[in-house]
Amino acid sequence: MSDKPSVLFVCGHNAGRSQMAAGWLRHLAGDAVEVRSAGSAPAGTVNPAAVEAMREVGVDISDQTPKLLEYATAESSDVIVTMGCGDACPVFPGRRYEDWRLADPAGKGVEAVRPIRDEIRVRVERLLRELIPAG
């Protein structure tokens, strides 16, 4: 891992879970971590309920666009966090992988997305502590 670790969050549509995780990590880590997100079958836009849920806690992801998971992006990431992308997620030796089993916010309202948002924050905070220990 380089001095500035890179984290790639991957889910199916890159419209909910991975966008919220990337938003949390950018918000909490600043420029200490390179943050990436992608999807195996990206949607056209980020889930509006995910945007609203994140806005409620002061994190703006409204400017994000779902992106297709590319081989080079995954290969050059230090940590790859998958969230339901299935067999589409490539595996590279020497990379750290985590699979976060989280409910899919697709088609759900903001009330149903809030607990997913909060669970993602807890996991991102843990990941950040492991990547950049305090001291």
Side-chain angles (χ1 to χ4, degrees), residues 48-59:
V51 171
E52 179 58 28
M54 293 298 285
R55 182 178 290 127
E56 291 176 352
V57 293
V59 180

Side-chain angles (χ1 to χ4, degrees), residues 5 17-18 31 55 59 69-70 74 77 80 92 96 101:
R17 294 167 289 190
S18 57
D31 348 345
R55 182 178 290 127
V59 180
L69 174 62
E70 295 186 4
S77 297
I80 300 173
F92 296 98
R96 174 179 168 182
R101 298 188 187 279

Side-chain angles (χ1 to χ4, degrees), residues 117-132:
R117 171 202 67 200
D118 296 344
E119 176 62 25
I120 291 171
R121 180 180 181 142
V122 168
R123 293 175 188 221
V124 166
E125 287 172 336
R126 187 198 79 236
L127 177 62
L128 185 56
R129 283 191 305 271
E130 293 168 357
L131 291 175
I132 304 173

